[in-house]
Short mmCIF file of all heavy atoms in Angstrom, two decimals:
data_model
loop_
_atom_site.label_atom_id
_atom_site.label_comp_id
_atom_site.label_asym_id
_atom_site.label_seq_id
_atom_site.Cartn_x
_atom_site.Cartn_y
_atom_site.Cartn_z
N LEU A 214 -1.88 26.50 116.55
CA LEU A 214 -2.56 27.41 115.63
C LEU A 214 -2.84 28.72 116.32
O LEU A 214 -2.89 28.79 117.56
CB LEU A 214 -3.87 26.79 115.13
CG LEU A 214 -3.80 25.44 114.42
CD1 LEU A 214 -5.20 24.93 114.14
CD2 LEU A 214 -2.99 25.53 113.14
N CYS A 215 -3.02 29.78 115.56
CA CYS A 215 -3.44 31.05 116.16
C CYS A 215 -4.66 31.56 115.41
O CYS A 215 -5.31 30.82 114.68
CB CYS A 215 -2.30 32.06 116.20
SG CYS A 215 -1.56 32.44 114.61
N GLY A 216 -4.99 32.82 115.61
CA GLY A 216 -6.15 33.38 114.94
C GLY A 216 -7.35 33.59 115.84
O GLY A 216 -8.39 34.03 115.38
N GLN A 217 -7.19 33.29 117.15
CA GLN A 217 -8.29 33.49 118.09
C GLN A 217 -8.10 34.72 118.97
O GLN A 217 -8.87 34.94 119.89
CB GLN A 217 -8.43 32.25 118.99
CG GLN A 217 -8.72 30.97 118.24
CD GLN A 217 -10.00 31.05 117.42
OE1 GLN A 217 -11.04 31.45 117.93
NE2 GLN A 217 -9.92 30.68 116.16
N ALA A 218 -7.07 35.50 118.68
CA ALA A 218 -6.78 36.69 119.50
C ALA A 218 -6.90 37.95 118.66
O ALA A 218 -6.00 38.79 118.63
CB ALA A 218 -5.39 36.58 120.12
N ALA A 219 -8.02 38.08 117.98
CA ALA A 219 -8.24 39.26 117.14
C ALA A 219 -8.36 40.51 117.99
O ALA A 219 -8.62 40.44 119.19
CB ALA A 219 -9.50 39.07 116.29
N ALA A 220 -8.16 41.64 117.36
CA ALA A 220 -8.28 42.93 118.05
C ALA A 220 -9.26 43.81 117.31
O ALA A 220 -9.28 43.83 116.07
CB ALA A 220 -6.93 43.62 118.12
N MET A 221 -10.10 44.53 118.07
CA MET A 221 -10.99 45.51 117.47
C MET A 221 -10.61 46.89 117.96
O MET A 221 -10.47 47.12 119.16
CB MET A 221 -12.45 45.23 117.80
CG MET A 221 -13.41 46.07 116.96
SD MET A 221 -15.13 45.91 117.46
CE MET A 221 -15.16 46.99 118.90
N GLU A 222 -10.46 47.82 117.04
CA GLU A 222 -10.15 49.19 117.38
C GLU A 222 -11.42 49.95 117.75
O GLU A 222 -12.54 49.47 117.54
CB GLU A 222 -9.45 49.86 116.20
CG GLU A 222 -8.08 49.26 115.87
CD GLU A 222 -7.05 49.59 116.92
OE1 GLU A 222 -6.43 50.66 116.83
OE2 GLU A 222 -6.86 48.77 117.85
N PHE A 223 -11.25 51.16 118.24
CA PHE A 223 -12.38 51.95 118.73
C PHE A 223 -13.39 52.27 117.64
O PHE A 223 -14.56 52.53 117.92
CB PHE A 223 -11.86 53.26 119.33
CG PHE A 223 -11.36 54.24 118.31
CD1 PHE A 223 -12.20 55.24 117.82
CD2 PHE A 223 -10.06 54.16 117.82
CE1 PHE A 223 -11.74 56.13 116.87
CE2 PHE A 223 -9.60 55.05 116.87
CZ PHE A 223 -10.45 56.04 116.39
N ASN A 224 -12.95 52.23 116.38
CA ASN A 224 -13.86 52.57 115.27
C ASN A 224 -14.54 51.35 114.66
O ASN A 224 -15.25 51.47 113.67
CB ASN A 224 -13.10 53.34 114.20
CG ASN A 224 -12.00 52.51 113.55
OD1 ASN A 224 -11.72 51.39 113.99
ND2 ASN A 224 -11.36 53.04 112.53
N GLY A 225 -14.29 50.15 115.23
CA GLY A 225 -14.92 48.94 114.74
C GLY A 225 -14.08 48.14 113.78
O GLY A 225 -14.50 47.05 113.35
N ASP A 226 -12.90 48.62 113.41
CA ASP A 226 -12.00 47.84 112.55
C ASP A 226 -11.50 46.62 113.31
O ASP A 226 -11.09 46.72 114.47
CB ASP A 226 -10.80 48.68 112.12
CG ASP A 226 -11.16 49.73 111.09
OD1 ASP A 226 -12.25 49.63 110.48
OD2 ASP A 226 -10.34 50.65 110.88
#
Side-chain angles (χ1 to χ4, degrees):
L214 302 174
C215 57
Q217 300 301 310
M221 191 187 79
E222 295 289 274
F223 72 95
N224 64 354
D226 287 344

